[in-house]
Amino acid sequence: MTAPTTAPTKTAAPTAAHTEAAKAAGRHARTSWEELVTAALLGTDRRTPPVTAPGRDAPAALLDAAAVQTVRRRAGLRAAPAAGRPEPASQDPRPVVPAAARRRLATLLADHTGTAGGGRRGTAPDLVELLPQWLAMANERGFAPPPELLPALLNAARGRTDLRPQALAFAGPRAQWLARLNPDWKFALRAAPGRAAPPGPQEEGAIQRRWQEGLFAERVALLASLRAHTPDTARELLSDTWATERAEDRLMFLDSLRTGLRPADEPFLEQALGDRSRNVRATAAELLSSLPDSALAARMADRAASCVALDRTAPSPALTVEAPHECDAGMERDGVAPKPPAGRGERSWWLGQLVEAAPLASWQGRLGDRSPADIVALPVADDWRAELHAAWCRAAVRQRDASWSRALLGPPASPDAAGPGAVSLAERAKLLTTLPATERAEWVAGFIDAHGLSEAFQLLGVCAVPWAPALGRAVVDALNIARDAGSYPWSFSGVMGLAERCLDPAEAVRLEALTAVPDEPEDASPGAGGYWSEAFQRLVSTLRLRAAMREELGG
């Protein structure tokens, strides 16, 4: 019996439908994810989808394309013409963190998408807020990251701008190398490169090429790096191309001159006062007013002195104020904005800008060689006191003048929580930043002792971490008083969250006694005792975790 033979199978010729499907797949591959998202957000009625398919309406074609792109994105490969291998990343000479610290970092990065906040319930530490502290300690000790955790670290920094300076300093040279390969991490190209080594003479050609041909972010980083090490070189580089830069770029570049600002920058900044961009002019004027010996500072001092004078005819010394009646062309060129914000009078607006830009040292000679404290204590006629003192506050912050800041802050136990010169607690917090860290902590501790925690949140935010012992004791004592009084606990959640990040871990022993549920007074908020117990348990466990992190990184 003869076995039946099987006829060979013929390959079916491609149909028109197959051909169209292949073409559609090709179009899908060439379409960017951003284009698809834009069309989806706006709707296919308002934005024609970037892809079409025979027999499919616009929404269906859009979803088909999104499905194709999703698979490609998950595969981790972006179709592109073949290219040569990239140059290896620069070597990082720092030692990699110890194994225990590496495991801790992996845990912190795995939880970086969690929800932060001092108002949460439970006793578990908030790992999201511990990551910045871990990075700060690792940077202080000069460690490098484990290479396998770099992508997770850059993803965390991508979602949190407050994390970027520490994360990029820790990531080191490989961060910028990776950023050139993955556009999701392009923010790393704008890293503050103050840690970078100063460029050598042999790199002059490369510097010029990067400045002339680099991306904007790379040019900003280059300018900042040069400014940190060779300020004059950076200024000369900027001056060469200044006339051809866009206004928004000029503003960003000009802002980099804040680093290492010096008298040699004055001619360039004076030239920038004539810039066609109002924002550029204002920034140049602000920088010049920070140079106490600049010509602009002298002009502002003369203008301010014509408005504020010492009345020697009064029974006791007092200040008189005559605000400007107009904003002339000279004032406008020197950075005085002629149009006030809504609800603000023109004359007071002009006066504030003149006083803010005048060197504070000039007032002492013009007002009878008085000290800053004596000047601040002088009465001011015609209700100009608040306006004048507010301008002096801004000047003290801009010029980083600790003597004037002390005078305007006044004693921490002053009955007026806003102080003799500050118009708000926010202004007072800015003044505190000009004082040494130890003095700042002592002043805030005294403020808390006198006024409690309800007014102190903004002031605590400018104190160095970990808090000095006196400040830590003041915060814990104030929290304990609020707990014993049966106060509404959620109103202190922000301070409790700060304490978790800023208290010295050694305070955990003293806090252990506060973790028990207290007896609630009759007028206490319902459930307040349980909340306070949870909050103190979480605080203790967080402090112990911070102590463990420090030990893992070598103490």
Side-chain angles (χ1 to χ4, degrees):
M1 181 175 181
T2 305
T5 58
T6 303
T9 303
K10 294 183 178 180
T11 304
T15 64
H18 290 158
T19 303
E20 287 300 325
K23 290 180 178 178
R27 289 192 296 270
H28 293 169
R30 292 191 298 272
T31 303
S32 72
W33 180 257
E34 289 76 14
E35 290 176 300
L36 297 174
V37 170
T38 301
L41 290 174
L42 294 176
T44 54
D45 291 339
R46 297 177 57 193
R47 171 64 65 88
T48 302
V51 292
T52 58
R56 305 285 279 172
D57 57 14
L62 178 64
L63 292 175
D64 289 345
V68 172
Q69 282 281 25
T70 299
V71 172
R72 292 181 59 253
R73 284 163 63 87
R74 288 179 178 174
L77 179 65
R78 178 167 295 176
R85 291 191 175 206
E87 292 293 326
S90 302
Q91 290 296 319
D92 194 334
R94 301 172 297 172
V96 178
V97 292
R102 179 184 308 198
R103 291 190 294 270
R104 180 75 65 189
L105 175 60
T107 301
L108 296 176
L109 289 172
D111 197 59
H112 82 272
T113 56
T115 302
R120 67 193 186 282
R121 297 301 299 264
T123 60
D126 183 1
L127 300 185
V128 174
E129 292 303 327
L130 289 177
L131 179 56
Q133 294 203 11
W134 190 97
L135 291 170
M137 287 190 287
N139 285 331
E140 287 171 4
R141 289 157 177 76
F143 283 121
E148 71 274 13
L149 293 181
L150 271 174
L153 178 63
L154 289 173
N155 283 333
R158 179 191 180 196
R160 288 183 57 180
T161 56
D162 64 304
L163 199 64
R164 290 180 186 177
Q166 294 283 13
L168 294 176
F170 179 60
R174 289 175 177 154
Q176 293 197 0
W177 184 83
L178 287 170
R180 293 188 179 93
L181 302 176
N182 187 339
D184 287 346
W185 301 329
K186 61 183 179 182
F187 64 87
L189 298 175
R190 298 189 292 272
R195 297 174 180 264
Q202 69 278 10
E203 299 179 33
E204 183 176 347
I207 290 173
Q208 286 289 342
R209 186 165 56 255
R210 284 175 61 193
W211 179 249
Q212 296 288 345
E213 302 174 5
L215 300 174
F216 172 71
E218 294 176 309
R219 299 179 75 207
V220 171
L222 173 64
L223 196 64
S225 177
L226 291 171
R227 190 65 184 176
H229 300 293
T230 53
D232 292 340
T233 302
R235 187 190 62 251
E236 291 165 4
L237 197 68
L238 178 57
S239 180
D240 289 342
T241 61
W242 181 257
T244 61
E245 304 288 355
R246 300 184 307 165
E248 54 268 34
D249 294 351
R250 292 199 304 276
L251 181 61
M252 183 71 74
F253 293 146
L254 190 64
D255 199 63
S256 70
L257 298 187
R258 295 181 191 277
T259 302
L261 187 65
R262 53 202 296 170
D265 298 324
E266 184 179 356
F268 177 76
L269 292 173
E270 275 282 345
Q271 179 185 357
L273 289 176
D275 196 271
R276 56 187 179 275
S277 166
R278 181 176 61 83
N279 290 332
V280 171
R281 294 196 303 270
T283 300
E286 180 188 348
L287 293 173
L288 283 168
S289 68
S290 300
L291 295 171
D293 297 325
S294 68
L296 180 138
R299 296 193 295 269
M300 288 299 198
D302 290 340
R303 292 176 180 127
S306 68
C307 299
V308 182
L310 187 65
D311 184 0
R312 303 179 186 276
T313 64
S316 59
L319 296 177
T320 60
V321 175
E322 181 66 26
H325 291 274
E326 65 172 346
C327 180
D328 58 36
M331 290 168 57
E332 193 168 348
R333 180 183 182 275
D334 284 347
V336 177
K339 186 175 181 180
R344 187 79 179 274
E346 285 185 335
R347 296 183 65 197
S348 65
W349 172 243
W350 299 331
L351 173 72
Q353 294 179 82
L354 296 181
V355 173
E356 178 182 355
L360 288 166
S362 66
W363 291 107
Q364 293 173 243
R366 296 175 188 270
L367 299 177
D369 292 323
R370 288 174 166 80
S371 68
D374 290 337
I375 293 173
V376 170
L378 288 171
V380 183
D382 300 327
D383 297 326
W384 282 103
R385 179 179 181 274
E387 188 69 46
L388 181 60
H389 284 198
W392 276 335
C393 284
R394 296 192 297 273
V397 173
R398 178 186 293 188
Q399 299 171 36
R400 314 305 296 170
D401 193 308
S403 298
W404 273 85
S405 292
R406 293 186 188 98
L408 292 161
L409 281 165
S414 170
D416 181 6
V423 295
S424 67
L425 284 169
E427 197 77 53
R428 222 169 189 191
K430 293 177 183 177
L431 290 170
L432 281 168
T433 63
T434 68
L435 303 182
T438 302
E439 182 181 356
R440 196 184 316 167
E442 291 173 352
W443 195 96
V444 177
F447 182 93
I448 292 172
D449 290 339
H451 302 285
L453 285 172
S454 59
E455 301 280 355
F457 184 78
Q458 294 181 79
L459 307 181
L460 287 169
V462 300
C463 293
V465 178
W467 288 336
L471 178 56
R473 286 192 297 271
V475 172
V476 172
D477 290 344
L479 287 171
N480 193 21
I481 291 171
R483 167 183 175 268
D484 291 342
S487 300
Y488 193 66
W490 293 272
S491 62
F492 294 93
S493 61
V495 174
M496 190 66 78
L498 272 179
E500 292 175 22
R501 300 189 294 275
C502 304
L503 267 178
D504 192 318
E507 291 286 333
V509 175
R510 190 164 75 94
L511 288 165
E512 189 69 52
L514 303 179
T515 58
V517 179
D519 295 330
E520 296 184 2
E522 292 183 1
D523 57 347
S525 303
Y531 175 92
W532 282 111
S533 175
E534 282 185 3
F536 279 116
Q537 289 180 58
R538 183 172 63 248
L539 179 55
V540 170
S541 61
T542 301
L543 294 180
R544 287 177 174 160
L545 180 52
R546 287 173 52 206
M549 286 165 40
R550 180 188 297 172
E551 185 176 349
E552 291 163 356
L553 285 164

